[in-house]
Amino acid sequence: MRVRFAPSPTGYLHIGGLRTALYNFLLARKHGGTFVLRVEDTDRTRFVEDAEADILSSLTWAGIQFDEGPGLNGGYGPYRQSERSTRYAEVANHLIEHEKAYIAFDSSEEIDALKERLRTPENPSPRYDHETRLSMSNSLTMSSEDVARKVAAGEEYVVRLLVTPGSQIKFTDVIRGEVEFDSATVDDQVLVKSDGLPTYHLANIVDDHDMAITHVIRGEEWLPSTPKHVLLYQAMGWDVPQMAHLPLILSPTGGKLSKRNADKQGIPVSVSQYREAGYEAHALVNFLAMLGWNPGDDREVFSMEELIEAFSLERVGQSGVQFDLQKLEWFNEHWLRSRSDSDIADELETSIQDTFSDVSREHLVEAVALMKDRLSFASDLLEAEYLFRRPSSYDEKSVAKRWKDDSPVVLAAFADSLESVDEWTLDKLEEALQTFVEIHEMGMGKIMFPIRLALSGQPSGPGLYEMMALFGKDETIARFRACNDALA
Ligand code: GLU
């Protein structure tokens, strides 16, 4: 099995692209095949300078490694189409020589004018095809001398596929079963543009053939291109690879998840946006794996190894799948919680030091342990400032509501009682508070809020004993006193 991911560097890697790459990768790994990355950069008008770098780094971030591709030659390179032009020209010439393709000189204005002229009620939008090509300026309507003269004079021309009507183009899609197109619905595709560069269709089939690709797995939006590809394979006498078209990713409100549509709903579309927003890479991978595929039971959480083991194209659905940001967040929390405290601490260390300075490694790891179950994103930890420095303000609303006249006295008395606690452990702290409320015959409710407020400035958060243990004796007592001073 040889599969490929063939992005065009016309923009940053889209989540749909990441899903395509992932499914190809999973399949290659499962079957001990080869995963090829091919950069389809023949469209120079839409070329985006840093897109290739973004695609590569996004794949690496997601844990998807390719076996062959730019910088990783496996004997089928080069892997950028802009470096393979000679081969496309060779194939185009072969097609022309074998009367499967022809040269056309029409300018786009001429094409528009001719289409206008050929428009009839039966054919409201004439295309360049078997019905119209004989009224155009091409090598089918001109003498070979005229053609040769025009070419020699440097006139611009394109190469078009000669599509003959009256046949059914059939192929089996692994996901969709038998697919059939009437050849009359396919126009005479441009294969080589006037700048001499191949179009997507030509370059794509030449490379899939030359790179010995066995399975073409791509998004459903490419399904209408497949009959053209099948015709090209047939014209060259090549085998058609196995085809599999993945279901569309739909917006939560229905319709395709286009960039505009997604923006409106606050859904990021490029992988780098998820990365910057602090998503766990594997959460996005796990989420995308389930967006179109299911394991046939109710499991949802899969490590990469488990995905490789369980994945199959047979369990990829045909109908579009709705994007659900909340589900992604659920996966994110899951995968965040499965990481070790010290691993998360490693990730946050620099930003924590930049923001708070002088936070010991031990303190950071403990803070992570304390908060891990409450975080949606690792970086949310930075928002719990009180874990790293004494509160400088106290939540006004809850102070107004729950800070009572006797709160300062209670807090001061508890602070005093803590002075005699020698072993600063969770057990001892719990014991100290229990004893304190018993001696003073006071309900727990009366003291818990002042303690929490003094420790964190917030009305809610992690456990009181855990916070006191994290801050240590001196700092805990200092926070109680500082709170009393501030609210006096
Ligand atoms: N270059 C196409 C893209 O940008 C590749 C489609 C295919 O996989 O054939 O998605």
Side-chain angles (χ1 to χ4, degrees):
M1 174 181 283
R2 288 178 56 85
V3 293
R4 77 333 183 247
F5 176 52
S8 299
T10 53
Y12 289 1
L13 183 62
H14 189 281
I15 41 173
L18 182 61
R19 186 192 61 171
T20 302
L22 174 67
Y23 287 15
N24 275 284
F25 168 78
L26 293 175
L27 222 57
R29 287 295 172 273
K30 181 176 174 128
H31 297 287
T34 302
F35 177 44
V36 178
L37 181 84
R38 182 174 72 229
V39 180
E40 301 207 323
D41 57 349
T42 57
D43 188 348
R44 301 319 278 183
T45 55
R46 293 175 60 220
F47 184 77
V48 172
E49 193 60 44
D50 55 349
E52 182 183 317
D54 175 80
I55 293 166
L56 295 180
S57 71
S58 296
L59 291 177
T60 307
W61 174 74
I64 298 174
Q65 308 91 9
F66 50 90
D67 308 307
E68 294 175 21
L72 209 58
N73 206 332
Y76 293 86
Y79 295 92
R80 277 188 204 97
Q81 290 187 329
S82 55
E83 295 162 23
R84 301 174 68 83
S85 306
T86 332
R87 176 65 178 141
Y88 308 129
E90 199 177 287
V91 174
N93 287 334
H94 177 98
L95 289 168
I96 296 170
E97 276 162 30
H98 291 78
E99 295 178 354
K100 307 283 186 190
Y102 59 94
I103 288 176
F105 295 97
D106 327 77
S107 66
S108 46
E109 294 77 32
E110 279 163 353
I111 293 178
D112 290 344
L114 278 164
K115 281 184 179 172
E116 193 62 36
R117 189 157 54 73
L118 296 170
R119 184 168 295 144
T120 61
E122 298 75 50
N123 190 3
S125 44
R127 297 171 315 170
Y128 210 117
D129 62 8
H130 62 101
E131 289 193 4
T132 54
R133 63 187 167 224
L134 293 179
S135 359
M136 309 294 220
S137 355
N138 52 47
S139 55
L140 305 172
T141 57
M142 288 177 194
S143 69
S144 47
E145 293 73 36
D146 283 349
V147 172
R149 197 172 31 75
K150 274 177 172 290
V151 171
E155 272 194 41
E156 285 199 346
Y157 65 88
V158 299
V159 177
R160 286 183 179 272
L161 179 66
L162 183 66
V163 182
T164 29
S167 70
Q168 288 301 106
I169 308 161
K170 291 187 195 155
F171 59 92
T172 310
D173 186 286
V174 183
I175 296 167
R176 279 147 225 281
E178 296 300 312
V179 184
E180 245 184 75
F181 285 87
D182 186 340
S183 69
T185 63
V186 179
D187 58 350
D188 290 359
Q189 287 301 300
V190 173
L191 302 177
V192 180
K193 295 171 285 185
S194 57
D195 60 5
L197 290 175
T199 56
Y200 155 71
H201 302 294
L202 178 65
N204 188 269
I205 69 108
V206 170
D207 288 347
D208 281 344
H209 175 263
D210 286 3
M211 294 180 181
I213 298 303
T214 56
H215 295 68
V216 168
I217 303 159
R218 59 187 172 197
E220 186 184 325
E221 62 275 25
W222 300 103
L223 189 62
S225 296
T226 309
K228 302 165 192 170
H229 299 177
V230 172
L231 287 177
L232 277 166
Y233 283 113
Q234 289 171 349
M236 288 305 293
W238 293 339
D239 289 338
V240 182
Q242 291 269 311
M243 292 285 170
H245 289 89
L246 307 176
L248 288 179
I249 298 181
L250 305 176
S251 118
T253 51
K256 200 179 164 209
L257 187 68
S258 63
K259 171 131 176 50
R260 182 138 51 82
N261 202 329
D263 277 353
K264 254 201 271 164
Q265 298 179 62
I267 299 172
V269 287
S270 64
V271 176
S272 45
Q273 284 172 296
Y274 287 90
R275 184 178 176 177
E276 277 153 27
Y279 280 89
E280 297 292 313
H282 192 68
L284 187 58
V285 164
N286 194 164
F287 168 74
L288 290 175
M290 308 303 290
L291 207 61
W293 169 80
N294 72 81
D297 52 40
D298 55 11
R299 282 176 302 161
E300 290 187 293
V301 170
F302 288 84
S303 67
M304 195 65 107
E305 290 68 38
E306 290 164 339
L307 282 175
I308 292 169
E309 168 82 35
F311 188 79
S312 75
L313 284 178
E314 285 67 38
R315 300 216 63 90
V316 174
Q318 292 184 28
S319 35
V321 277
Q322 256 167 2
F323 189 91
D324 178 356
L325 204 52
Q326 271 170 1
K327 191 71 196 183
L328 172 58
E329 271 155 28
W330 180 84
F331 277 113
N332 203 66
E333 287 173 10
H334 174 87
W335 285 106
L336 175 61
R337 273 153 221 179
S338 75
R339 286 171 68 186
S340 72
D341 301 338
S342 75
D343 185 37
I344 298 176
D346 286 344
E347 178 190 326
L348 297 176
E349 189 120 37
T350 314
S351 42
I352 290 277
Q353 295 302 359
D354 288 350
T355 318
F356 303 106
S357 72
D358 289 335
V359 175
S360 74
R361 169 81 192 175
E362 200 191 341
H363 184 96
L364 174 56
V365 175
E366 275 179 46
V368 170
L370 189 55
M371 292 297 285
K372 199 159 70 173
D373 286 351
R374 299 168 171 270
L375 303 176
S376 296
F377 298 96
S379 58
D380 288 350
L381 190 70
L382 274 96
E383 279 158 33
E385 291 181 18
Y386 59 87
L387 295 175
F388 309 104
R389 66 169 161 235
R390 205 170 291 171
S392 53
S393 64
Y394 299 89
D395 183 66
E396 278 177 25
K397 252 203 199 144
S398 43
V399 169
K401 212 163 121 199
R402 299 169 69 188
W403 180 260
K404 302 286 187 261
D405 289 345
D406 60 355
S407 296
V409 186
V410 173
L411 201 53
F414 183 53
D416 289 343
S417 77
L418 287 178
E419 299 281 4
S420 58
V421 175
D422 297 328
E423 258 184 88
W424 202 256
T425 60
L426 290 179
D427 288 351
K428 295 287 177 200
L429 288 166
E430 184 170 355
E431 202 178 294
L433 184 58
Q434 290 292 350
T435 316
F436 181 82
V437 292
E438 272 162 36
I439 292 175
H440 294 85
E441 296 180 348
M442 156 195 313
M444 259 300 176
K446 198 176 180 67
I447 187 160
M448 275 170 52
F449 172 74
I451 294 180
R452 174 172 299 289
L453 189 76
L455 291 173
S456 68
Q458 304 296 321
S460 61
L464 299 182
Y465 307 122
E466 282 83 358
M467 280 198 280
M468 290 194 266
L470 173 69
F471 300 146
K473 183 169 174 175
D474 293 348
E475 176 62 16
T476 298
I477 293 173
R479 287 189 184 205
F480 291 161
R481 308 227 188 273
C483 179
N484 269 348
D485 289 347
L487 299 179

PDB file of all heavy atoms in Angstrom, residues 4 6-8 40 200 204 218 222, ligand 1:
ATOM      1  N   ARG A   4      -1.001   8.758  -0.273  1.00  0.00           N
ATOM      2  CA  ARG A   4      -0.367  10.080  -0.273  1.00  0.00           C
ATOM      3  C   ARG A   4      -1.324  11.148   0.232  1.00  0.00           C
ATOM      4  O   ARG A   4      -2.547  11.018   0.174  1.00  0.00           O
ATOM      5  CB  ARG A   4       0.167  10.430  -1.664  1.00  0.00           C
ATOM      6  CG  ARG A   4      -0.736  10.883  -2.792  1.00  0.00           C
ATOM      7  CD  ARG A   4      -2.122  10.470  -2.833  1.00  0.00           C
ATOM      8  NE  ARG A   4      -2.832  10.934  -4.012  1.00  0.00           N
ATOM      9  CZ  ARG A   4      -3.832  11.819  -3.988  1.00  0.00           C
ATOM     10  NH1 ARG A   4      -4.271  12.318  -2.858  1.00  0.00           N
ATOM     11  NH2 ARG A   4      -4.431  12.188  -5.119  1.00  0.00           N
ATOM     12  N   ALA A   6      -1.744  15.130  -0.591  1.00  0.00           N
ATOM     13  CA  ALA A   6      -1.248  15.982  -1.679  1.00  0.00           C
ATOM     14  C   ALA A   6      -1.752  17.418  -1.565  1.00  0.00           C
ATOM     15  O   ALA A   6      -2.505  17.890  -2.407  1.00  0.00           O
ATOM     16  CB  ALA A   6      -1.671  15.377  -3.018  1.00  0.00           C
ATOM     17  N   PRO A   7      -1.364  18.125  -0.520  1.00  0.00           N
ATOM     18  CA  PRO A   7      -1.899  19.479  -0.343  1.00  0.00           C
ATOM     19  C   PRO A   7      -1.354  20.475  -1.359  1.00  0.00           C
ATOM     20  O   PRO A   7      -0.249  20.319  -1.864  1.00  0.00           O
ATOM     21  CB  PRO A   7      -1.411  19.858   1.063  1.00  0.00           C
ATOM     22  CG  PRO A   7      -0.141  19.090   1.233  1.00  0.00           C
ATOM     23  CD  PRO A   7      -0.362  17.791   0.509  1.00  0.00           C
ATOM     24  N   SER A   8      -2.155  21.487  -1.637  1.00  0.00           N
ATOM     25  CA  SER A   8      -1.694  22.610  -2.456  1.00  0.00           C
ATOM     26  C   SER A   8      -1.307  23.720  -1.494  1.00  0.00           C
ATOM     27  O   SER A   8      -2.089  24.057  -0.616  1.00  0.00           O
ATOM     28  CB  SER A   8      -2.822  23.111  -3.345  1.00  0.00           C
ATOM     29  OG  SER A   8      -3.233  22.068  -4.191  1.00  0.00           O
ATOM     30  N   GLU A  40       1.453  19.934  -4.136  1.00  0.00           N
ATOM     31  CA  GLU A  40       0.875  20.240  -5.445  1.00  0.00           C
ATOM     32  C   GLU A  40       0.877  21.752  -5.656  1.00  0.00           C
ATOM     33  O   GLU A  40      -0.112  22.445  -5.440  1.00  0.00           O
ATOM     34  CB  GLU A  40      -0.524  19.630  -5.543  1.00  0.00           C
ATOM     35  CG  GLU A  40      -0.468  18.116  -5.339  1.00  0.00           C
ATOM     36  CD  GLU A  40      -1.584  17.340  -6.028  1.00  0.00           C
ATOM     37  OE1 GLU A  40      -2.717  17.833  -6.071  1.00  0.00           O
ATOM     38  OE2 GLU A  40      -1.294  16.228  -6.525  1.00  0.00           O
ATOM     39  N   TYR A 200      -3.992  20.857 -12.134  1.00  0.00           N
ATOM     40  CA  TYR A 200      -4.105  19.862 -11.066  1.00  0.00           C
ATOM     41  C   TYR A 200      -4.373  18.475 -11.637  1.00  0.00           C
ATOM     42  O   TYR A 200      -3.729  17.493 -11.252  1.00  0.00           O
ATOM     43  CB  TYR A 200      -5.222  20.299 -10.099  1.00  0.00           C
ATOM     44  CG  TYR A 200      -5.845  19.160  -9.329  1.00  0.00           C
ATOM     45  CD1 TYR A 200      -5.137  18.510  -8.322  1.00  0.00           C
ATOM     46  CD2 TYR A 200      -7.136  18.717  -9.638  1.00  0.00           C
ATOM     47  CE1 TYR A 200      -5.707  17.447  -7.634  1.00  0.00           C
ATOM     48  CE2 TYR A 200      -7.702  17.661  -8.947  1.00  0.00           C
ATOM     49  CZ  TYR A 200      -6.984  17.024  -7.958  1.00  0.00           C
ATOM     50  OH  TYR A 200      -7.537  15.968  -7.286  1.00  0.00           O
ATOM     51  N   ASN A 204      -1.705  15.586 -11.083  1.00  0.00           N
ATOM     52  CA  ASN A 204      -2.177  14.658 -10.058  1.00  0.00           C
ATOM     53  C   ASN A 204      -2.132  13.207 -10.527  1.00  0.00           C
ATOM     54  O   ASN A 204      -1.627  12.326  -9.826  1.00  0.00           O
ATOM     55  CB  ASN A 204      -3.600  15.080  -9.680  1.00  0.00           C
ATOM     56  CG  ASN A 204      -4.141  14.327  -8.487  1.00  0.00           C
ATOM     57  OD1 ASN A 204      -4.770  13.294  -8.656  1.00  0.00           O
ATOM     58  ND2 ASN A 204      -3.899  14.826  -7.291  1.00  0.00           N
ATOM     59  N   ARG A 218      -9.103  11.052  -0.403  1.00  0.00           N
ATOM     60  CA  ARG A 218      -9.186  12.515  -0.363  1.00  0.00           C
ATOM     61  C   ARG A 218     -10.614  12.933  -0.091  1.00  0.00           C
ATOM     62  O   ARG A 218     -11.527  12.105  -0.036  1.00  0.00           O
ATOM     63  CB  ARG A 218      -8.696  13.091  -1.696  1.00  0.00           C
ATOM     64  CG  ARG A 218      -9.501  12.604  -2.879  1.00  0.00           C
ATOM     65  CD  ARG A 218      -8.885  13.066  -4.194  1.00  0.00           C
ATOM     66  NE  ARG A 218      -9.546  12.448  -5.330  1.00  0.00           N
ATOM     67  CZ  ARG A 218      -9.034  12.410  -6.547  1.00  0.00           C
ATOM     68  NH1 ARG A 218      -7.856  12.951  -6.792  1.00  0.00           N
ATOM     69  NH2 ARG A 218      -9.697  11.847  -7.527  1.00  0.00           N
ATOM     70  N   TRP A 222     -13.422  16.338  -4.229  1.00  0.00           N
ATOM     71  CA  TRP A 222     -12.661  15.913  -5.414  1.00  0.00           C
ATOM     72  C   TRP A 222     -13.375  14.833  -6.215  1.00  0.00           C
ATOM     73  O   TRP A 222     -12.892  14.434  -7.281  1.00  0.00           O
ATOM     74  CB  TRP A 222     -11.266  15.416  -5.009  1.00  0.00           C
ATOM     75  CG  TRP A 222     -10.514  16.517  -4.333  1.00  0.00           C
ATOM     76  CD1 TRP A 222     -10.296  16.655  -2.996  1.00  0.00           C
ATOM     77  CD2 TRP A 222      -9.948  17.682  -4.949  1.00  0.00           C
ATOM     78  NE1 TRP A 222      -9.631  17.825  -2.733  1.00  0.00           N
ATOM     79  CE2 TRP A 222      -9.404  18.476  -3.919  1.00  0.00           C
ATOM     80  CE3 TRP A 222      -9.861  18.137  -6.275  1.00  0.00           C
ATOM     81  CZ2 TRP A 222      -8.768  19.691  -4.155  1.00  0.00           C
ATOM     82  CZ3 TRP A 222      -9.221  19.344  -6.510  1.00  0.00           C
ATOM     83  CH2 TRP A 222      -8.695  20.100  -5.465  1.00  0.00           C
TER      84      TRP A 222
HETATM   85  N1  GLU B   1      -3.953  19.273  -4.339  1.00  0.00           N
HETATM   86  C1  GLU B   1      -5.258  18.775  -4.008  1.00  0.00           C
HETATM   87  C2  GLU B   1      -5.690  19.438  -2.712  1.00  0.00           C
HETATM   88  O1  GLU B   1      -5.262  20.519  -2.478  1.00  0.00           O
HETATM   89  C3  GLU B   1      -5.181  17.281  -3.882  1.00  0.00           C
HETATM   90  C4  GLU B   1      -6.455  16.566  -4.063  1.00  0.00           C
HETATM   91  C5  GLU B   1      -6.148  15.097  -4.176  1.00  0.00           C
HETATM   92  O2  GLU B   1      -5.849  14.514  -3.134  1.00  0.00           O
HETATM   93  O3  GLU B   1      -6.158  14.568  -5.273  1.00  0.00           O
HETATM   94  O4  GLU B   1      -6.426  18.950  -1.915  1.00  0.00           O
END
